[in-house]
Amino acid sequence: MEIVVQPDGAAVCRLAADLVAALVAARPSAVLGLATGHTMVGVYEELVRRHGGGLSFRAVRSFNLDEYLGVPPEHPGSFHSFMAMHLLRHVDLPPAQARILDGLTADVPAECEAFEREIAAAGGIDLQVLGIGGDGHIGFNEPSSSLASRTRIKTLTAQTRTANAAAFGGEGQVPRHVLTMGVGTILDARRCVLLAIGERKAAAVAAAAEGAVTAMVPASALQLHPAVTLIADEAAASRLARRAYYDEVYAGKPEWQR
Ligand code: F6R
C-alpha cells in the first residue's frame, strides 16, 4: 500500500482529485467508483472546479458504493441527494451513466445482482475512491463483513449511525439497513484510493494499513490489493508506526511512477 501524508484535509482532497482528473483526462470513458460522506465533499468541490476549467465527465460511468435502504432518492439524507448536490448537478456526467443503488427496491437480492452485473458490463471499475469509517469500514462493510463479500444488504453499527446522524436529524432517524458494494467487489477495482481526514480516523487508519488483515477492520482487506494509495492528513496519520518510512518512499518516488 502506498501511504501519502498531506498537511491537511484540503491537500488530501486536492491530491485525490488530481488522481481522478488525471485518469479522466487520459481515459475519458473511465469507470469510477465513487463514495459519499464528509471526506468526499472537498474532493467533489475540486472536481467541479476542474470541470469549470475544461475537464469533461461526459463519457465517464460511475458506480456509488452504497445507499440507505428505504430512503427515497429525494430525501436530503440519501446518497442520491448527496451526489446530486456535490457533483452531478455541477458536471456533465449524464445521470444515466451515474449508477447509485436503489434504496427503495422491492427486491434487494435482484437489485444487488443487477448492480454487480452492470459493473462487470462496464468493464469493471478503473478507480475506486473510498473513505474510511471510524470503525474501519469501507463502503458500508461494517466490522465482521466477509472480505469476499459482494453487493448486499448490511446493518449499520451504532457508531456509524451516530456518525451519519446529522443528515437525518438525529441518530434515531438513521436507517438501520443499507445496500453496499461488498469488500470483494471493491477489491476487484483496478486501483483504489483510500482517503482519511481527522483524528477520529487515526486508529482505523493505523489498523487498516499496519494491522492484521481481518474482517474486524474491513479496510485492512486493501492490503491484499496490488494498487492502493492511502492519502491521509497529519491527524489521521498520527498513529502510523512507520510514518517516517512512508514519507521517505513518497519523496523518492520515481518521476515515471507519478
Ligand atoms: C460512503 C461510504 C463510507 C464513508 C465513511 C467515511 O459512501 O461508503 O464508507 O466513506 O463512512 O465517512 P465520512 O467521510 O463522512 O467520515
Side-chain angles (χ1 to χ4, degrees):
M1 187 183 294
E2 176 182 42
I3 300 179
V4 182
V5 182
Q6 295 290 292
D8 54 31
V12 169
C13 294
R14 272 198 304 277
L15 189 53
D18 284 347
L19 297 177
V20 175
L23 172 64
V24 172
R27 184 158 186 238
S29 62
V31 181
L32 301 178
L34 298 178
T36 57
H38 301 102
T39 313
M40 292 304 299
V41 171
V43 179
Y44 294 143
E45 263 171 30
E46 273 292 320
L47 289 176
V48 169
R49 205 172 58 72
R50 288 161 202 228
H51 174 62
L55 182 69
S56 175
F57 294 84
R58 197 181 308 278
V60 163
R61 295 208 51 185
S62 68
F63 292 89
N64 260 77
L65 282 166
D66 37 24
E67 180 56 290
Y68 294 101
L69 199 56
V71 174
E74 59 279 6
H75 186 287
S78 78
F79 289 158
H80 278 79
S81 290
F82 180 99
M83 291 307 296
M85 184 190 306
H86 294 286
L87 185 69
L88 299 173
R89 231 180 254 156
H90 311 287
V91 300
D92 58 348
L93 204 171
Q97 289 163 213
R99 176 69 155 101
I100 305 176
L101 283 153
D102 176 8
L104 290 185
T105 181
D107 188 339
V108 166
E111 170 64 1
C112 295
E113 281 159 30
F115 188 76
E116 290 273 344
R117 274 198 307 276
E118 288 167 43
I119 293 174
I125 291 172
D126 292 311
L127 176 64
Q128 176 67 58
V129 185
L130 299 158
I132 184 169
D135 60 3
H137 70 229
I138 46 174
F140 271 146
N141 295 284
E142 298 284 31
S144 79
S145 289
S146 160
L147 301 187
S149 50
R150 311 304 303 184
T151 304
R152 70 213 182 292
I153 187 172
K154 285 298 291 180
T155 302
L156 294 180
T157 60
Q159 183 179 348
T160 301
R161 290 204 309 274
T162 305
N164 292 303
F168 288 90
E171 194 186 324
Q173 318 300 318
V174 181
R176 285 182 181 265
H177 292 113
V178 292
L179 301 181
T180 179
M181 265 189 215
V183 179
T185 318
I186 292 168
L187 292 179
D188 282 348
R190 282 183 270 283
R191 183 168 185 197
C192 295
V193 181
L194 177 65
L195 309 179
I197 298 172
E199 211 280 324
R200 197 170 65 81
K201 305 295 175 69
V205 163
E210 296 179 334
V213 174
T214 167
M216 290 302 126
V217 183
S220 68
L222 295 170
Q223 293 177 30
L224 299 172
H225 192 288
V228 175
T229 301
L230 161 63
I231 311 175
D233 70 349
E234 288 286 351
S238 59
R239 296 211 202 169
L240 288 170
R242 301 277 178 143
R243 166 67 195 278
Y245 174 66
Y246 309 139
D247 288 352
E248 186 187 331
V249 172
Y250 189 58
K253 191 169 175 171
E255 207 44 55
W256 60 266
Q257 265 193 333
R258 282 183 188 269

